[in-house]
Amino acid sequence: MNTSLNWIKALVPELTASEQEYMDAMTLSGTKVEGYRKLDADLDQIVVGQIKKITPHPDADKLIVCQVDIGDGKEIQIVTGAPNVAEQDKAPVVLSGGRVAGGHDGNLTPGGIKIKKGKLRGIESDGMMCSIEELGSSRDMYPEAPELGIYIFHPDVPVGADAVEVLGLHDAVIEYEITSNRVDCYSALGIAREAAATFGKKFNPPVITETGNEEDANDFIKVTVKDSDLCPRYVARVVKNITIAPSPEWMQRRLAAQGIRPINNLVDITNYVMAEFGQPMHAYDLDTIAGREIIVRRASAGDTFVTLDGQERMLNENVLMICDADKPVGIAGIMGGENSMITDHVQTMLLEAACFDGANIRISSKKIGLRTDASSVFEKGLDPNQAILAMNRACQLVEELGAGEVVGGVVDVYPVKREGKRIPFEPEKYNRLLGTDIAAEDMLDYFSRIELKYEEATNELLVPTFRQDLECDADIAEEVARFFGYDNIPTTLPTGEATTGKLSFKLRVEEAARDIAEFYGFSQGMCYSFESPKVFDKLSIPTDSKLRETVTISNPLGEDFSIMRTISLNGMLTSLATNFNRRNKNVRLYEMGNIYLPKQTPVTELPEERMQFTLGMYGEGDFYTLKGIVEEFFHKIGMKEKASYLPDAGRPYLHPGRQADVSYRGKRVGYIGEVHPVTAANYAIKDRVYVAVLDMPEIVAAASFDRKYQGIAKFPASSRDISLVVPKEILAGDIEAVFDKKGGSYLESYELFDIYEGSQIESGFKSIAYSLVFRGKEKNLEENDITNAMDAILKELESMGIALRK
């Protein structure tokens, strides 16, 4: 939906907002503005000039030299090759230093093209005369413009005037995103009403005057509506003695700003009324209407009809047709027929303004494969009370433009009049819904701006029929909110008996797990809970393992889905194998799913369901990559102590030298490792595969989202490097446990930076080097502070058979 800002300002005369101010305010009040385009954005220093004298160019056959009066007694010389100029013509002239929007071919240049004084074939040219394309428009919107050449103004246009203003280009096209329930805003009047309410200005809709001669339209045409469920109202009027001519400049400019191509006065009037009122209209040549009768009825299955675009359309019994006594003449709400179209020879015209069922128009439009501007409006559900207003406005314009003689009277088939709704006025309820304290008088002021009336005797709001979106107290509260200002509504806590809705602690931990996995490039997978008993053999699980004690499905889909899984690894490896077989090089998957552990077998009660966070990967990355991801997850959910990795996991499906159980505070919370080559081969994966499985009930019990702020360190750090000779059976984690235990409060961090085994180290030992960082939170550390901590660490290490490397 687009509108001209100048048109809106004409309907709201006191509106002075700039384009940006208008866009911001309208969006905040609920009429969302997508953006705007200034028609004069790249036009500068363009005036109306009059050609006083034309002489041939001495050195070019196709160029002429013009002496141009630009007003205030000034005259400039312009060299041009335009074929359509003559002495005394008035044309738009860009002065030296000014800008135009584009070239003669109509291609626009961002920022415009700057015009400079120069020479053409040795003759000075101080400016440029413009075509309509160079002013950023086209002949579609300015049909009087020549196909090739300079735009020529009407002789009455004053010399020196602002040419951009004369052309109506000091305007902006505003683009809106209107929701389907606000069909009243698919019109200039609807938007202007909202603008007036938003800015607190007076809304001045056009005054519609009575039109028509002493004759009666009912003597010219009869209307019968056979399917009133699909056509609640049909309004018709007659215009005779038609005179087809161009529409006036003001109408052409408004239509052009809307993106509607001006054609002639009759077509432009119907297009103008649709843009103004949002009511599509259609005109028929009355002399082609057989029997001078209009019948609105459903088509028959298998009927065909040729529309105005010359296409034959297949119809069915749900398509509503406009017919005369003999034949169909139009598809209701979509397009008229070729057999009743207005031609240049029309003498008497039948004007139609109707209201059709929106759902039926939508279905019919899709059925026949034709969607028009009219159908896109009708399908949203129009207010039938607007039809007579639009019709009278169109007839008023016919008389004002001298397009014909309007016949008096109107044919109006409106069996069941639509009445406005009545909604109780409950300001206290609106304030409770919004969390505000707005006075009832202020609310009534907001309502009066949008034409909602208040009946004090019944304490009810009277909702006009064009506001079909207002049905209950919540809708009324929304009207209060948008004109009070969403940005003015204070922040308040919700009230009520229920607690504030949020994720449970368990779900927050699981959400953190997903966030970490996806951050590191893992994609979520969903694996079956039903598995085959053969899974345990593929994973090399011993026959006496408790994992083989499963819940058996009593009515399985087949053997491959006959038990509930007790380990999540099979689903993950199956998914990785599928990706590997499809030549996906680097794959990372994760799953958040349950395993089912029976409390006894045979099963007599529901099994224990334990959520498992399973990570699987191959390609880029290794054991330590996966270990880092697990530790990042622990850190995110507030597991403050370091996890331990126990190499004696003894899991047969993992590589014996590259696996570990994950322990936290003495409890095993999961495992990590490289999949055993035999197991990987069982799944036809010919690459190293790494997996980690975390038991979420244990993880949730250890997690905490309580955080305490720690300020930035104020004092400098001191570091110490130590190189240790360590028996091979002692793990790096055992050494780091000593650092944590004996390092004291000043030890800030430590980092392993070297491991060496070789000829320079005694057999059965290895060299491990660490860098330790110490920092005081409340003072600068002295040498004794660090020495004492280092002595305590080294003493504990010596008791483990670890010595400093010399």
Side-chain angles (χ1 to χ4, degrees):
M1 171 64 191
N2 296 340
T3 69
S4 155
L5 184 56
N6 282 354
W7 195 351
I8 301 303
K9 288 184 175 180
L11 294 168
V12 188
E14 298 174 2
L15 181 60
T16 57
S18 67
E19 292 84 358
Q20 189 65 45
E21 291 169 342
Y22 178 85
M23 183 176 78
D24 294 342
M26 291 292 282
T27 298
L28 280 175
S29 69
T31 307
K32 185 181 179 184
V33 177
E34 288 287 285
Y36 64 89
R37 177 174 62 88
K38 296 185 69 171
L39 300 183
D40 60 352
D42 298 323
L43 305 178
D44 188 28
Q45 297 186 48
I46 305 176
V47 300
V48 176
Q50 185 172 30
I51 302 172
K52 291 298 185 180
K53 183 179 180 181
I54 297 177
T55 57
H57 192 290
D59 295 322
D61 293 340
K62 295 185 178 181
L63 297 180
I64 56 176
V65 181
C66 303
Q67 306 303 320
V68 182
D69 181 4
I70 58 172
D72 295 333
K74 297 179 182 178
E75 195 170 286
I76 62 174
Q77 179 172 282
I78 296 176
V79 179
T80 181
N84 66 315
V85 295
E87 291 182 356
Q88 305 308 316
D89 279 350
K90 295 178 181 179
V93 175
V94 190
L95 304 179
S96 179
R99 288 182 302 155
V100 292
H104 192 74
D105 57 1
N107 291 325
L108 301 184
T109 301
I113 299 173
K114 191 169 184 178
I115 303 303
K116 298 180 181 178
K117 182 177 181 179
K119 291 184 178 182
L120 287 177
R121 291 289 190 94
I123 302 297
E124 287 191 358
S125 182
D126 191 10
M128 184 181 81
M129 291 184 285
C130 305
S131 67
I132 198 64
E133 288 80 10
E134 288 163 332
L135 296 173
S137 192
S138 68
R139 291 186 68 247
D140 284 343
M141 302 307 169
Y142 291 81
E144 73 278 12
E147 184 175 355
L148 295 171
I150 301 303
Y151 182 88
I152 305 300
F153 286 113
H154 190 275
D156 294 339
V157 174
V159 175
D162 182 349
V164 178
E165 182 176 355
V166 173
L167 289 166
L169 293 173
H170 283 316
D171 196 0
V173 177
I174 311 296
E175 180 184 357
Y176 307 86
E177 182 183 319
I178 307 297
T179 54
S180 295
N181 66 333
R182 287 302 307 273
V183 67
D184 59 298
C185 287
Y186 283 88
S187 65
L189 289 176
I191 294 293
R193 186 185 294 110
E194 289 292 308
T198 298
F199 290 94
K201 306 296 184 182
K202 186 178 179 182
F203 173 48
N204 286 343
V207 177
I208 301 174
T209 57
E210 187 175 343
T211 56
N213 58 22
E214 299 300 321
E215 299 175 281
D216 187 355
N218 290 276
D219 297 332
F220 286 75
I221 190 71
K222 176 185 176 184
V223 176
T224 303
V225 178
K226 291 187 175 181
D227 293 286
S228 57
D229 57 325
L230 301 184
C231 179
R233 188 173 195 180
Y234 192 99
V235 178
R237 292 195 72 176
V238 176
V239 180
K240 65 180 187 177
N241 301 325
I242 298 294
T243 302
I244 294 180
S247 53
E249 189 173 283
W250 65 266
M251 180 176 283
Q252 291 191 32
R253 299 297 177 259
R254 283 188 178 175
L255 290 174
Q258 297 282 117
I260 301 173
R261 180 168 65 94
I263 298 175
N264 59 49
N265 49 5
L266 295 183
V267 176
D268 291 353
I269 285 170
T270 58
N271 286 336
Y272 185 86
V273 172
M274 185 171 82
E276 187 176 46
F277 279 82
Q279 170 68 54
M281 301 188 69
H282 190 69
Y284 302 94
D285 186 340
L286 187 58
D287 294 332
T288 66
I289 304 299
R292 295 293 178 100
E293 182 179 12
I294 289 291
I295 302 171
V296 184
R297 61 169 176 83
R298 285 177 166 89
S300 299
D303 284 356
T304 61
F305 182 70
V306 180
T307 48
L308 278 171
D309 56 2
Q311 299 293 314
E312 185 175 75
R313 309 288 177 176
M314 292 295 298
L315 311 175
N316 64 19
E317 63 278 5
N318 293 318
V319 179
L320 190 67
M321 301 298 294
I322 309 297
C323 308
D324 61 18
D326 296 336
K327 62 187 180 300
V329 294
I331 304 176
I334 300 177
M335 185 176 280
E338 196 175 45
N339 56 9
S340 62
M341 64 186 295
I342 296 291
T343 66
D344 292 343
H345 307 292
V346 63
Q347 294 298 313
T348 308
M349 176 178 68
L350 173 68
L351 269 178
E352 166 195 284
C355 183
F356 303 112
D357 179 72
N360 177 262
I361 295 297
R362 173 70 171 167
I363 294 169
S364 300
S365 177
K366 291 177 70 68
K367 165 63 182 173
I368 66 175
L370 178 62
R371 193 163 190 259
T372 61
D373 290 342
S375 69
S376 66
V377 175
F378 275 122
E379 68 189 25
K380 294 173 176 62
L382 291 184
D383 172 19
N385 292 330
Q386 290 287 99
I388 189 64
L389 296 175
M391 173 61 77
N392 290 338
R393 174 61 166 161
C395 291
Q396 177 187 13
L397 290 171
V398 167
E399 287 198 347
E400 288 180 1
L401 273 55
E405 180 184 352
V406 179
V407 173
V410 59
V411 180
D412 189 1
V413 181
Y414 194 12
V416 182
K417 184 178 180 180
R418 180 177 295 180
E419 302 291 345
K421 302 183 188 71
R422 288 175 171 263
I423 299 177
F425 177 53
E426 302 171 294
E428 297 83 5
K429 182 180 284 188
Y430 310 149
N431 279 323
R432 286 199 303 272
L433 283 170
L434 301 174
T436 55
D437 187 19
I438 303 170
E441 294 76 13
D442 292 337
M443 294 184 187
L444 291 175
D445 178 57
Y446 301 151
F447 299 151
S448 66
R449 299 184 198 174
I450 53 175
E451 301 182 25
L452 269 67
K453 297 180 180 178
Y454 174 61
E455 189 175 88
E456 189 173 0
T458 59
N459 192 38
E460 288 179 320
L461 296 171
L462 308 181
V463 181
T465 53
F466 63 79
R467 286 303 303 271
Q468 301 177 46
D469 59 307
L470 301 183
E471 296 183 346
C472 62
D473 52 8
D475 297 328
I476 300 299
E478 184 181 8
E479 297 301 294
V480 173
R482 66 193 189 97
F483 291 115
F484 175 70
Y486 293 113
D487 52 334
N488 295 324
I489 296 177
T491 302
T492 57
L493 291 173
T495 58
E497 298 179 359
T499 57
T500 304
K502 64 177 182 179
L503 292 177
S504 66
F505 183 80
K506 171 179 175 292
L507 292 179
R508 289 175 65 195
V509 174
E510 292 176 5
E511 184 179 53
R514 293 187 182 93
D515 289 345
I516 287 292
E518 290 168 8
F519 178 82
Y520 283 102
F522 286 77
S523 298
Q524 185 171 11
M526 302 292 288
C527 301
Y528 291 114
S529 296
F530 299 163
E531 291 186 333
S532 168
K534 298 175 183 177
V535 164
F536 303 117
D537 294 331
K538 290 180 73 174
L539 293 173
S540 303
I541 292 175
T543 55
D544 60 348
S545 172
K546 287 187 69 64
L547 292 176
R548 289 182 179 263
E549 297 178 6
T550 62
V551 176
T552 303
I553 307 299
S554 59
N555 55 342
L557 297 174
E559 184 184 7
D560 289 344
F561 303 96
S562 61
I563 63 171
M564 303 291 287
R565 66 178 181 175
T566 57
I567 183 172
S568 64
L569 213 54
N570 173 67
M572 177 58 66
L573 293 178
T574 300
S575 298
L576 292 173
T578 300
N579 280 274
F580 183 83
N581 292 331
R582 292 178 181 174
R583 293 182 174 82
N584 292 328
K585 293 183 178 180
N586 300 296
V587 177
R588 296 185 175 192
L589 300 175
Y590 79 92
E591 184 202 9
M592 192 72 71
N594 285 332
I595 59 172
Y596 304 86
L597 305 177
K599 297 172 183 176
Q600 72 250 345
T601 53
V603 175
T604 58
E605 57 181 312
L606 293 175
E608 179 185 7
E609 299 183 27
R610 298 187 72 85
M611 181 69 70
Q612 306 291 289
F613 178 33
T614 307
L615 298 160
M617 57 182 274
Y618 69 78
E620 292 182 0
D622 55 18
F623 177 93
Y624 295 102
T625 303
L626 198 54
K627 177 173 175 283
I629 294 168
V630 170
E631 290 180 345
E632 179 71 13
F633 170 51
F634 289 169
H635 173 74
K636 183 176 179 66
I637 61 173
M639 294 172 65
K640 299 175 184 177
E641 298 178 17
K642 289 187 65 175
S644 301
Y645 298 87
L646 311 176
D648 57 343
R651 299 183 184 272
Y653 39 81
L654 298 180
H655 192 294
R658 298 170 189 154
Q659 62 171 285
D661 277 352
V662 184
S663 176
Y664 186 78
R665 292 179 179 171
K667 290 186 177 182
R668 300 201 179 201
V669 297
Y671 58 88
I672 184 173
E674 180 185 330
V675 174
H676 198 291
V678 172
T679 304
N682 291 340
Y683 287 88
I685 305 176
K686 300 175 183 178
D687 200 349
R688 290 189 173 186
V689 184
Y690 300 92
V691 295
V693 180
L694 301 177
D695 187 42
M696 291 305 290
E698 294 289 353
I699 298 294
V700 171
S704 171
F705 288 108
D706 293 335
R707 308 282 184 178
K708 289 186 178 179
Y709 170 75
Q710 291 184 340
I712 298 173
K714 298 179 181 179
F715 301 99
S718 298
S719 62
R720 296 289 187 272
D721 294 346
I722 57 172
S723 182
L724 305 170
V725 178
V726 183
K728 280 189 175 182
E729 64 273 10
I730 294 180
L731 305 175
D734 299 331
I735 298 172
E736 292 172 2
V738 172
F739 294 160
D740 292 332
K741 180 180 177 182
K742 297 295 183 179
S745 60
Y746 296 140
L747 179 61
E748 183 177 76
S749 63
Y750 47 81
E751 182 180 0
L752 173 66
F753 66 86
D754 183 57
I755 297 179
Y756 172 75
E757 293 184 47
S759 58
Q760 300 182 28
I761 301 297
E762 184 181 348
S763 177
F765 289 83
K766 58 188 174 184
S767 171
I768 298 181
Y770 278 92
S771 177
L772 289 78
V773 177
F774 296 88
R775 190 195 305 267
K777 295 181 180 179
E778 298 178 356
K779 68 169 187 174
N780 276 322
L781 295 183
E782 299 178 358
E783 184 63 29
N784 286 341
D785 297 324
I786 301 173
T787 301
N788 290 339
M790 291 297 298
D791 289 344
I793 290 171
L794 293 174
K795 184 177 180 180
E796 183 72 17
L797 292 174
E798 287 174 3
S799 67
M800 299 166 59
I802 299 172
L804 283 173
R805 183 179 176 186
K806 298 179 181 179

